[in-house]
Amino acid sequence: MAYTSTDLGPSLPLLASGKVRELYEVDSKTLLFVASDRISAYDVIMKNGVPNKGKVLTLMTAFWFDYLPKQIPDLKTHFLGLKVPGTVPIQAKTQLHNRSMLVRRLKIFPIEAIVRGYITGSAWSSYKKTGEVNGLKLPEGLQESQEFPQPIYTPSTKAELGQHDENISVERAAEIVGAKYAKRIEELALRIYSVAKEYAKQQGIIIADTKFEFGLDEETDDVVLVDEVLTPDSSRFWSAKTYELGRSQESFDKQYLRDWLTSNGLKGKEDVEMTEEVIQNTASKYTEAFQILTGQTLDGAV
Ligand SMILES: Nc1ncnc2c1ncn2[C@@H]1O[C@H](COP(=O)(O)OP(=O)(O)O)[C@@H](O)[C@H]1O
Ligand SMILES: [Mg+2]
């Protein structure tokens, strides 16, 4: 069964609810970050959910929060652990198992740190029209899905629920968060992407692009990696085995759902109910990505 809404009763105050997650207050410094099985495409949440998706996202994020700081010693993350706090009502404990994380409560920078290693999606559309992506002039003659000579950083605004993110220049990002933090965010995003891309490629997944969020630890002035990281919701994952230049790629992310919506005239519509087939196919994409990336089966991991 899919778990599309959470209710933890009066013991834990609900601070925010996003497209996929609920954030609860544990104490003044700690949050409970719960991934539901909700799925969104084109910024709209589907009516029904994808069973176990929240667990895949949580465990994959936890995997990266373990792996990344080992490779990048000065990287700080918000991750505190997977333990379900004692104040969670008993009936919700099993549901939260492996889909909730304890995280540090931080001031979130209102930009999305997007890194692209391969040209696809909106970047490909923009390049075909203007030869540029986010105001960056790119080499001529790139083909669809081609790897960039260097990964590029293309920040966007972080839209409120129901709004669309907007691409911004690096200069605009610096105006929004301040030059010092903007620089650090860019530097970290590019380093994390490179480390993850290397690892994933060995396992058989190409991370074509991804989105990070960062927060500020006001006590230490550290820029901290937050949110989910390097999941099929926040990234485009392609199969390295079937990758071919000059066309769109088979992917492990929401592309399958997006294509289904588009071909059925449902793109951007509210209250769409996915068919059983769409749910099953989406669920198996997510679990397959988890298995390839972590080398563990989802059942084994939970
Ligand atoms: N450590 C943290 N402290 C406070 N907020 C956080 C933290 N980590 C992530 N968030 C926020 O929690 C929300 C995650 O919920 P999600 O459903 O993914 O939202 P969205 O619809 O914006 O993607 C995001 O708005 C993100 O900025
Ligand atoms: Mg999110």
Side-chain angles (χ1 to χ4, degrees):
M1 220 196 58
Y3 185 62
T4 51
S5 67
T6 59
D7 180 7
L8 301 188
S11 56
L12 290 160
L14 177 68
L15 290 183
S17 179
K19 290 190 285 287
V20 171
R21 292 181 178 74
E22 258 90 50
L23 259 87
Y24 293 91
E25 180 182 73
V26 176
D27 58 47
S28 65
K29 290 192 163 164
T30 320
L31 301 176
L32 189 67
F33 193 67
V34 183
S36 72
D37 290 333
R38 296 193 292 271
I39 186 163
S40 73
Y42 300 115
D43 286 333
V44 187
I45 303 164
M46 303 295 115
K47 204 168 169 181
N48 42 0
V50 175
N52 284 331
K53 172 175 173 276
K55 294 189 183 181
V56 173
L57 297 186
T58 300
L59 293 175
M60 203 182 275
T61 295
F63 166 81
W64 287 116
F65 279 146
D66 174 60
Y67 181 78
L68 293 168
K70 289 181 188 153
Q71 313 298 318
I72 308 170
D74 61 331
L75 176 68
K76 304 277 190 299
T77 83
H78 72 159
F79 183 67
L80 295 172
L82 289 170
K83 191 172 164 282
V84 178
T87 41
V88 165
I90 193 94
Q91 67 279 12
K93 278 214 162 96
T94 23
Q95 286 168 318
L96 288 199
H97 184 59
N98 287 316
R99 67 166 75 242
S100 75
M101 287 185 333
L102 284 167
V103 302
R104 290 158 65 196
R105 185 177 195 166
L106 298 160
K107 196 170 132 201
I108 307 300
F109 291 108
I111 60 169
E112 312 224 310
I114 299 167
V115 181
R116 302 171 190 272
Y118 294 74
I119 190 157
T120 181
S122 65
W124 173 239
S125 309
S126 150
Y127 174 76
K128 274 191 295 185
K129 264 186 243 146
T130 64
E132 294 183 359
V133 176
N134 276 42
L136 280 170
K137 186 102 200 104
L138 293 170
E140 267 172 53
L142 290 179
Q143 297 182 57
E144 183 172 10
S145 304
Q146 188 166 347
E147 187 170 7
F148 291 117
Q150 297 283 335
I152 59 170
Y153 174 64
T154 59
S156 80
T157 56
K158 218 170 105 55
E160 298 293 321
L161 198 63
Q163 305 299 111
H164 297 280
D165 297 336
E166 206 186 301
N167 291 334
I168 52 174
S169 63
V170 171
E171 293 73 30
R172 180 73 194 120
E175 282 167 20
I176 297 173
V177 302
K180 179 179 84 170
Y181 297 128
K183 188 97 212 69
R184 180 71 177 150
I185 289 170
E186 173 174 357
E187 172 207 43
L188 280 174
L190 285 166
R191 263 162 77 201
I192 299 165
Y193 173 75
S194 295
V195 163
K197 186 181 95 166
E198 274 310 297
Y199 170 84
K201 196 137 188 214
Q202 287 167 19
Q203 302 292 110
I205 284 182
I206 292 173
I207 304 175
D209 51 32
T210 193
K211 178 217 76 171
F212 302 110
E213 290 187 35
F214 292 91
L216 179 66
D217 182 332
E218 290 172 292
E219 276 165 33
T220 60
D221 206 34
D222 279 323
V223 172
V224 181
L225 179 63
V226 303
D227 206 54
E228 63 174 333
V229 285
L230 297 155
T231 72
D233 269 15
S234 67
S235 326
R236 277 197 181 85
F237 286 175
W238 295 338
S239 159
K241 245 196 277 172
T242 61
Y243 171 82
E244 232 176 67
L245 200 58
R247 60 160 172 85
S248 64
Q249 309 298 317
E250 244 177 74
S251 71
F252 291 96
D253 55 48
K254 291 188 274 192
Q255 200 55 46
Y256 169 79
L257 172 60
R258 292 193 199 106
D259 293 346
W260 177 77
L261 290 168
T262 308
S263 60
N264 287 282
L266 296 169
K267 177 176 174 177
K269 295 242 161 75
E270 301 284 338
D271 277 332
V272 172
E273 199 164 325
M274 298 177 288
T275 64
E276 203 43 49
E277 191 193 1
V278 171
I279 294 174
Q280 284 320 318
N281 287 338
T282 303
S284 46
K285 288 275 175 210
Y286 275 76
T287 7
E288 198 187 341
F290 179 83
Q291 239 171 75
I292 299 179
L293 214 49
T294 66
Q296 270 188 299
T297 64
L298 184 64
D299 287 340
V302 302

